[in-house]
Structures are given as C-alpha cells and as structure tokens.
Amino acid sequence: MDFEEILKELRASLSNLVNDQLGEFKNEGQKMVDDFLNDSKEKLKKWTNLLANEALDIEDYEWLLKSQKDLFAINTLYNAGVSKVKLDRFKNKAINTIVNVVAKIIFI
C-alpha cells in the first residue's frame, strides 16, 4: 500500500468536493482541506494501515475520521459568510469522501 498515492487521491477528491460545495469560497476551502490533511497525515496513515491489515473495519475507520473532523478549520469560511450548517454538511461529506476513496483503493 502506497500511502502517498492514497494521500494524492484524497487531495484530488477533496478538491473536487470543495469546488462543488463551496463555490466562491473554494480558495479558503482548499486551504482548509490541505491543513486538515497535513495535520492528520500521520493518524490517517496509521489508521489506513490498520484498515489494510484488517485490524480495523470500515466502521471503526470512519469513527476515527469523525473524531478528527474538528480539525477542519472553518473559522475563515464562517467569517467569510458560509453558514455553519453548510460547513457541517461539507465536513460530513469530506469524511465520507475520505472513507470511500480509501476503501476503494484498499479493497480493490
């Protein structure tokens, strides 16, 4: 398993989500995603390895990701006028995107 390749795929998928969901705030959204992935990289790598080695199931993996969703630094977007409801929806979709991308790569 090449975690750097997984990380590259996550960045691309989350960038698409930012473009679809945050429109005019896509620059701020992209920075938020980059910061999240950089801040969570070691944990994501560890959890992804555990998932790949069947030490975690996909539900546990998702639960661990949800524990990290507060790392999405939303203050800039909220202050720019994006509603908290929209930001919460984005965070949930981002977590689902991460789970789906990782599962697709690991379980092929």
Side-chain angles (χ1 to χ4, degrees), residues 16-47:
N16 289 337
L17 182 64
V18 164
N19 289 334
D20 291 344
Q21 299 291 310
L22 298 178
E24 65 185 271
F25 302 103
K26 66 183 176 185
N27 291 336
E28 293 90 345
Q30 188 59 54
K31 182 178 178 347
M32 177 181 63
V33 165
D34 290 340
D35 289 347
F36 172 79
L37 289 175
N38 290 334
D39 292 345
S40 302
K41 182 177 180 178
E42 291 307 312
K43 288 181 182 179
L44 288 172
K45 184 176 184 177
K46 177 182 176 183
W47 298 337

Side-chain angles (χ1 to χ4, degrees), residues 48-67:
T48 301
N49 281 325
L50 289 170
L51 181 65
N53 294 320
E54 299 180 6
L56 283 178
D57 62 23
I58 197 72
E59 289 83 16
D60 291 335
Y61 186 81
E62 183 174 7
W63 183 85
L64 289 167
L65 284 171
K66 286 180 180 177
S67 75

